[in-house]
Amino acid sequence: MSAPGPRDIFLGFARIGLLGFGGVAAWARHVIVEERRWLTEREYAETAGLAQVLPGPNVGTAAIFIGRHFAGWRGAVAATAGLYVGPLVILLLLAGMQDVLTSWERLPALMKGLALAAAGLLIGAGLRMLQNLSLSWPFLLVAAAASAAAVARIPLWQILLVLAPLGMWLAWPRR
Amino acid sequence: MSTALLLFAIFAPLSLLAIGGLIPLLPEIQRVLVVEHGLITARAFAEAFALAQPAPGPNILSMALVGFRIAGPLGLLAALGGMLLPAAVLAWLVGGWLSRNAERPGVKAFRQGLVPLALGLFVAGGGLLASSVAEGWIAWAIVAASSVAIWRGWLHPLAVLGLGAASGALLF
């Protein structure tokens, strides 16, 4: 497959942003790995891992990495613009219709159902990653530990401080 | 103009602390904008954040709306630029260094070592989102059905979201 140009990158990330109801992380993986096949499951997981350890919105950081990788600074700008511009326009339209929105009494229930499905998008994507990555058991233990620590509300920087060096040590080539 | 500059100066350093996204940072942003500088009321801040929830896209866009409420279009650009620019520049620099040094064993091990973290945090993100809204077995059944439908590839993610929203509107 030929490398995507700035235009493809813009359109791909615009799709991620505009479909990202209840969060963009699951959509980023879906579009990049399953739909467009720009990255393999492992390449995407590496990119998402790097985005976790760097500050800033995770998919925003991944957009810079992926845009840069395929099309240099034009790609990075295209990915970032694609991710934010469409949703921003929608948000301003919603802000203009605030009175209509707040008067619709079914909206909170609808939003709750949407959030539950969005949680399912993340969990289901995690299960697909688990299947496709075929990690050895020490890595699976690190994944389980990260998951458990995050659910126990341990601050992310503490999780990263302990588990990122551990993962790196496990991945270090053995002689 | 000066309010917009102030917003940029407030958001830019905060964005570099945002490891793990916006949510852990919200109390601090709220404190600085509402208490320290008195730029917006706590109620208007909460309303702007809540209004952004039905909209698609990255959740930091809610801070663009907060900037808009404080100082109009310039405030929007200042808040969004402050949240995005420093982190984007850092990502650009780190991305360049990593690709120039891609063959080093340490860089390879670093990237591969982060894979299980990405996986674990993906699943945990879903679990935390679910537990923050779900009460009762119907809610958990929606989470479980959505997870399985995605995992087995039975439905397109958009269909899953649509079904979730529809069942929410009907059942809750």
Side-chain angles (χ1 to χ4, degrees):
Chain A
M1 189 214 69
S2 63
R7 195 186 124 88
D8 309 313
I9 293 170
F10 177 86
L11 292 175
F13 276 91
R15 190 167 162 78
I16 292 167
L18 287 169
L19 291 174
F21 294 96
V24 285
W27 280 104
R29 181 197 160 276
H30 181 79
V31 170
I32 291 165
V33 177
E34 308 223 7
E35 262 183 30
R36 311 275 155 121
R37 298 175 191 236
W38 289 340
L39 298 178
T40 64
E41 190 79 76
R42 177 162 284 279
E43 289 164 340
Y44 185 72
E46 287 181 6
T47 306
L50 288 171
Q52 284 283 356
V53 296
L54 289 171
N58 285 340
V59 175
T61 302
I64 303 267
F65 278 139
I66 293 167
R68 173 183 186 126
H69 175 72
F70 288 116
W73 69 267
R74 284 189 187 81
V77 171
T80 306
L83 185 59
Y84 293 107
V85 170
L88 189 61
V89 171
I90 292 184
L91 183 57
L92 290 175
L93 290 175
L94 285 182
M97 306 188 305
Q98 188 167 8
D99 298 337
V100 184
L101 273 182
T102 45
S103 69
W104 186 32
E105 82 246 4
R106 299 307 296 160
L107 186 67
L110 186 144
M111 289 306 301
K112 188 174 162 186
L114 188 70
L116 295 169
L121 252 57
L122 282 169
I123 296 170
L127 292 170
R128 287 182 79 87
M129 287 170 82
L130 185 67
Q131 241 175 2
N132 295 341
L133 288 169
S134 50
L135 299 173
S136 62
W137 66 266
F139 285 104
L140 289 176
L141 283 180
V142 174
S147 203
V151 170
R153 311 262 177 185
I154 294 173
L156 183 65
W157 66 269
Q158 293 176 14
I159 301 175
L160 296 173
L161 198 65
V162 174
L163 292 180
L166 179 61
M168 190 173 169
W169 178 73
L170 288 171
W172 204 277
R174 301 281 185 279
R175 286 192 295 143
Chain B
M1 185 64 198
S2 63
T3 313
L5 280 178
L6 176 64
L7 280 174
F8 186 84
I10 289 171
F11 277 109
L14 284 174
S15 80
L16 288 177
L17 298 175
I19 293 182
L22 175 69
I23 304 295
L25 213 59
L26 270 182
E28 177 63 9
I29 296 175
Q30 206 250 23
R31 190 190 67 76
V32 175
L33 293 179
V34 175
V35 182
E36 205 175 304
H37 292 281
L39 290 169
I40 187 169
T41 64
R43 193 196 154 101
F45 183 86
E47 276 177 2
F49 184 75
L51 188 65
Q53 298 314 301
N59 63 1
I60 64 149
L61 287 173
S62 59
M63 294 303 109
L65 189 57
V66 167
F68 185 71
R69 289 277 193 256
I70 292 174
L74 272 181
L76 182 150
L77 290 176
L80 190 61
M83 284 304 280
L84 293 184
L85 259 185
V89 169
L90 184 69
W92 172 264
L93 295 174
V94 171
W97 189 87
L98 286 172
S99 62
R100 279 192 302 279
N101 295 283
E103 293 310 311
R104 286 194 191 186
V107 169
K108 282 187 176 168
F110 183 59
R111 297 183 67 115
Q112 288 169 18
L114 289 172
V115 165
L117 278 162
L119 169 61
L121 293 172
F122 228 84
V123 177
L128 285 169
L129 177 60
S131 62
S132 70
V133 278
E135 342 167 291
W137 68 269
I138 296 178
W140 285 106
I142 294 175
V143 176
S146 307
S147 304
V148 173
I150 294 293
W151 173 38
R152 307 305 304 169
W154 290 337
L155 289 173
H156 190 270
L158 199 56
V160 173
L161 287 180
L163 287 172
S167 35
L170 290 172
L171 299 172
F172 296 129

